[in-house]
Amino acid sequence: VAVVLLMIGSMNLFENLDAGEIMVIQNPFNGNLAWYQTPGIKYQGFGKVTVYKKRSQLWFNNSEGESEQGKAIKIRFNDNGHADLAGSISWEMPLDNEHLTLIHTKFGSQKAVEDQLIRTIVEKSIFMTGPLMSSTESSASRRNELLNLVEDQIQNGVCLTKTVQKVVEDPITGEDKTTSLVELVLDSNGLTKRAESSPLQEFAVKTFNLAIKAITYDGTVETQIQEQQKATMQVQI
């Protein structure tokens, strides 16, 4: 009996930490948090153990059978066209105890950080980028700008925008029409003003390597893009 009790107790005395992880142990008596960032065996002392990955990747794609958190993110452009963005983004946890404690007390787990912080910010940034261009622009002339705008708003916060009326040429008919366009608001130095700062800055979480592997437009938008391509080819011919 003594041997069995010793074996059971020893399972809660020590914990092994992998090199790619961060571990926090909550003291069972006073509730203090002890953070460990280096690999090896750590003293647990019957405390509650929570493990975070130092680096992780959020996926959003169009694969069938994916969970809700893995689905593509919808975007709406200024011509009311819709599309699903599929891709991924990498993110890293901070390594200082102050920000780690803030994250742990706010979210409490790796999954909560990814679902409630990272994915929410990515969805909001994509949603706010859509009105800055049309569907056809996102498919060709401003595709790289779409990626840059989303990444910028994820890291630095949502941009401040304004709506202006402009006369533009219809890409299909070639006739002029008045339409409402959303533009970025710039300061006196030509820099983009922010409606709010990114929550990532508060928690010192870093994001990088945003990749958009596919943009799936709805049927109406896809037809419009094809018609515009035909019209452009006819003009070139």
Side-chain angles (χ1 to χ4, degrees), residues 9 14 45 84-85 96 99 164-165 195 204 232:
F14 300 96
D84 291 330
L85 266 63
D96 63 284
H99 287 104
V164 296
Q165 300 291 326
T232 302

Side-chain angles (χ1 to χ4, degrees), residues 34-201:
W35 287 96
Y36 301 95
Q37 294 90 6
T38 56
I41 297 177
K42 312 299 178 184
Y43 178 67
Q44 178 182 352
F46 298 97
K48 179 183 177 182
V49 177
T50 306
V51 176
Y52 294 88
K53 293 181 179 179
K54 290 182 178 179
R55 176 176 176 177
S56 188
Q57 193 157 6
L58 172 70
W59 294 89
F60 45 98
N61 51 56
N62 290 321
S63 300
E64 295 183 0
E66 289 288 343
S67 64
E68 183 65 29
Q69 297 302 325
K71 290 184 178 180
I73 299 176
K74 294 188 177 296
I75 185 172
R76 181 175 181 175
F77 302 100
N78 60 19
D79 56 0
N80 291 324
H82 296 77
D84 291 330
L85 266 63
S88 63
I89 187 171
S90 300
W91 58 280
E92 281 186 352
M93 292 278 288
L95 296 179
D96 63 284
N97 292 355
E98 180 181 354
H99 287 104
L100 287 173
T101 300
L102 180 62
I103 291 173
H104 184 64
T105 53
K106 290 281 188 179
F107 302 102
S109 69
Q110 172 85 17
K111 189 176 187 303
V113 174
E114 184 168 296
D115 294 347
Q116 300 175 22
L117 180 65
I118 307 299
R119 185 176 180 88
T120 300
I121 293 174
V122 172
E123 288 178 340
K124 186 174 184 178
S125 300
I126 289 177
F127 177 81
M128 297 301 294
T129 300
L132 297 174
M133 63 187 68
S134 66
S135 304
T136 52
E137 288 175 335
S138 70
S139 68
S141 62
R142 300 182 66 183
R143 189 153 191 163
N144 288 338
E145 188 178 353
L146 171 66
L147 179 66
N148 293 335
L149 285 169
V150 172
E151 193 167 29
D152 174 65
Q153 294 190 88
I154 291 173
Q155 296 174 353
N156 302 313
V158 174
C159 298
L160 189 63
T161 60
K162 62 180 179 180
T163 302
V164 296
Q165 300 291 326
K166 282 191 175 183
V167 177
V168 297
E169 181 181 347
D170 189 289
I172 305 301
T173 64
E175 299 179 354
D176 292 339
K177 64 177 183 179
T178 302
T179 185
S180 298
L181 298 178
V182 177
E183 294 183 348
L184 297 175
V185 177
L186 306 179
D187 59 18
S188 58
N189 297 320
L191 301 176
T192 304
K193 289 186 177 181
R194 304 286 169 177
E196 59 183 33
S197 60
S198 173
L200 295 180
Q201 297 175 358

